[in-house]
Amino acid sequence: MIPRSLVPQQPGSWQTQLGRAITDPEQLLSELQLPSSLLPQALLASSRFRLRVPQGFVRRMRKGDPDDPLLRQVLPLGEELTSTEGYGLDPLAEMQSMPVPGLLHKYRGRVLLTLTGACAVHCRYCFRRHYPYNEANPTRDHWESTIAYLAHQRDVNEVILSGGDPLSLSDERLSALIGDLAAISRLQRLRIHSRIPVVLPERVDTSLLEWIDATRLHCVLVVHTNHPNEIDDTVIHAMGRLRAVGVTLLNQSVLLRGINDHADTLVELSQKLFEAGILPYYLHQLDAVQGAAHFAVGDIRAKSLVEEIRDRLPGYLVPRLVREHPHQPSKTPI
Ligand SMILES: *Cc1c(COP(=O)(O)O)cnc(C)c1O
Ligand code: SF4
C-alpha cells in the first residue's frame, strides 16, 4: 500500500469543481446542444429554485437529447410553476418534529440533522426546495443544544447527517462536528445522506477518508442515484476508496416519471450500483412538494414495477418501495 503521505494532494480541487458548477440555463443548453426554445421557461423556473449542476455530471448526459434522464433531473421546466392541489411547501410537516432547530427526531433510535441547505446539484423534484434552512440549522447557533439534546436521549444510537448535502461542508467543519458526536458514548453509527459522491466524486479525497477512517463511529453512507447513467468510472473509483475505509454503502432513489419509471432502467440501476459496491436501500415515492407533480408515478404502477424487478433480480438488489407520511414512526412500505 502507498503511504498516505505520498499520495499527491490537490487541495481545494473539489471546491473548485463545486464553484464551477453550471448555474446559467443558457450555458447548460448550449453545452448540450439543445434548442434555445427551452430557455425562457428554464429562466423562469430557475428564478424560483436555481439551476445548479456540476460539469462532471453534465458530461454524463447525452448531447442533443432534451429527454436525457440526467438532464431531466436538473433542467428547470415550466411545469414547475403549475400549482397542484395536495402538493405543499412542507409536505412532511417537518417543522413539527424539531426539538432543536435543524434536528429532526421523528423515528426511534435515530435523529436527523439538517446541517446545511447547500447542495452540489439542485434536483428539480427535491422535497427540500422550500425548506427554511437559514432558520433550521443546528450548526449556526444551536450546536451546543444539539449535543445536549443527544446526550439526554437514552434510545438514540445513530445520527444521520442530511441537508441539503452535508458533504458540501468542509472536512475541517465535519471532523470537528463528528468529534463532538463521537464523544457521546451511546452513539454507535454515523449515517451520511449525500448525493455528492455521485454528482461530484472528486469530493471523496484523502482528507474526507481520513476523518471517516479515524472516527470510532461506524460510518454508513447513503448515496442518492436515480439512473444507471449516473454511475461512471469516477463514481466506481470513489466508492472503492470509501469501502476501503470500511464505509457501508447504500443507495436511495426517487421514482421519477420519465426518468427511471421502467423496469429495465431499475434493473440496470441495481446492477450498476452493485458493481460500485453499493446496495439498493429505498425507492421513494415522490413527496408531494409544490412544483414537482409532473414527476409523480402512481402507486399501482410503482408496485408493478417493483414486482417486475423482484422477478428479475436477487432479493438483495431490490430496493424497498416506500413513502414518507408526515406523522408515521418510520417510512411506510407500499
Ligand atoms: C428517513 C428519515 C430517517 C431515517 O429512516 P430510516 O428508515 O432509518 O432510513 C430518520 N429521520 C427522519 C426524520 C427521516 O426522514
Ligand atoms: S441533492 Fe438531495 S437535498 Fe439537494 S437538491 Fe438534490 S435531492 Fe434535494
Side-chain angles (χ1 to χ4, degrees), residues 31-52:
E31 288 201 7
L32 290 170
Q33 300 163 7
L34 289 167
S36 54
S37 56
L38 290 164
L39 189 59
Q41 301 233 325
L43 286 171
L44 203 59
S46 69
S47 69
R48 301 266 184 99
F49 181 49
R50 198 172 178 198
L51 164 77
R52 171 177 286 280

Side-chain angles (χ1 to χ4, degrees), residues 49 119 121-123 125-128 133 163-165 195 224:
F49 181 49
C119 290
V121 63
H122 284 177
C123 313
Y125 51 84
C126 182
F127 75 98
R128 296 239 155 94
Y133 285 107
D165 200 309
R195 189 138 163 69
H224 172 178

Side-chain angles (χ1 to χ4, degrees), residues 126-138:
C126 182
F127 75 98
R128 296 239 155 94
R129 51 186 291 158
H130 308 287
Y131 194 88
Y133 285 107
N134 285 335
E135 294 107 78
N137 185 328

Side-chain angles (χ1 to χ4, degrees), residues 118-159:
C119 290
V121 63
H122 284 177
C123 313
R124 307 317 295 177
Y125 51 84
C126 182
F127 75 98
R128 296 239 155 94
R129 51 186 291 158
H130 308 287
Y131 194 88
Y133 285 107
N134 285 335
E135 294 107 78
N137 185 328
T139 60
R140 197 148 295 156
D141 305 310
H142 311 286
W143 187 243
E144 272 173 38
S145 354
T146 301
I147 294 295
Y149 179 86
L150 289 171
H152 286 96
Q153 296 300 305
R154 292 240 176 116
D155 77 315
V156 174
N157 57 17
E158 172 167 347
V159 170

